[in-house]
Amino acid sequence: MMSDAKNDAKGDATAVLKQWQEQEAAVRARMAEPGVLGLEQLKAVSGMDFLRGILEGKYPVAHIGKTLDFIPVEGEAGRIVFQGTPGLQHYNPLGSVHGGYFCTLLDSAVGCAVQSMLPAGVGYTTLEIKVNLIRAMSSKTGPVRAEGKVIQVGKQVGTAEGRIVDAAGRIYAHATTTCLIFPLP
């Protein structure tokens, strides 16, 4: 009976992994090159429209995503998901993925979750992020997803939480953030 449950879990994880890989390939096929959007363009769209523009290939992706090889794969108001596959290029000298990889993925997810709730002409920056690493990642982990979800967004402060999971649902890290919200100049 237990081996049946394990086989079902492996089958589910395999199906999720396939879905993730297909979704990532579809997003990568339409992504623009890394770049920076001009301030006037940025001021003209809401946070969600900006993020949707990145997902649709209308706006450039972040340079850090190219550097660390992760991309946004889905989003809606209050919730954003980034996906990446840790590799040897992300290792620390101890032989596992550097904590900065975890932190950058989570900072992107929770920050963009806050951004997704902002009206046109309003920006944000991270004031504080707290990350708890739960288990190590390696080049054998496979794709992971960092999902950020808004807790609350006000006129001056936004908060969000996030977590990194693999296709089997194992959690690798979780985070909370506080973001400063301000009118764009």
Side-chain angles (χ1 to χ4, degrees):
M1 194 91 164
M2 270 228 209
S3 64
D4 287 344
K6 278 187 179 181
N7 287 337
D8 287 346
K10 279 186 181 182
D12 289 345
T14 301
V16 168
L17 177 60
K18 184 176 187 237
Q19 177 193 8
W20 284 11
Q21 290 168 330
E22 289 171 355
Q23 186 178 23
E24 180 179 351
V27 171
R28 283 189 185 277
R30 64 180 177 261
M31 279 177 41
E33 288 298 312
V36 178
L37 199 63
L39 185 57
E40 291 307 313
Q41 281 184 293
L42 190 56
K43 286 169 60 172
V45 296
S46 71
M48 190 64 237
D49 286 342
F50 172 68
L51 294 165
R52 197 173 288 119
I54 291 172
L55 286 166
E56 294 169 356
K58 180 179 175 183
Y59 299 135
V61 295
H63 285 282
I64 191 67
K66 185 170 185 175
T67 300
L68 294 181
D69 194 24
F70 68 86
I71 62 168
V73 290
E74 58 187 57
E76 59 193 89
R79 179 183 163 273
I80 303 294
V81 180
F82 283 81
Q83 182 170 312
T85 303
L88 292 174
Q89 71 273 25
H90 305 120
Y91 271 39
N92 60 35
L94 302 174
S96 63
V97 173
H98 190 281
Y101 183 83
F102 293 76
C103 294
T104 304
L105 264 172
L106 283 164
D107 186 44
S108 298
V110 295
C112 287
V114 169
Q115 183 180 20
S116 75
M117 301 296 291
L118 302 180
V122 177
Y124 81 98
T125 191
T126 302
L127 284 175
E128 178 268 340
I129 185 165
K130 169 141 181 22
V131 177
N132 292 319
L133 307 180
I134 305 300
R135 65 169 38 100
M137 279 193 267
S138 74
S139 59
K140 295 178 181 161
T141 300
V144 293
R145 285 195 166 186
E147 179 180 21
K149 292 182 180 179
V150 162
I151 297 170
Q152 194 276 334
V153 174
K155 290 185 180 191
Q156 295 181 328
V157 175
T159 57
E161 61 191 0
R163 60 189 201 140
I164 295 175
V165 298
D166 66 12
R170 288 182 294 262
I171 187 166
Y172 288 80
H174 60 90
T176 57
T177 193
T178 303
C179 295
L180 175 65
I181 297 170
F182 52 88
L184 293 171

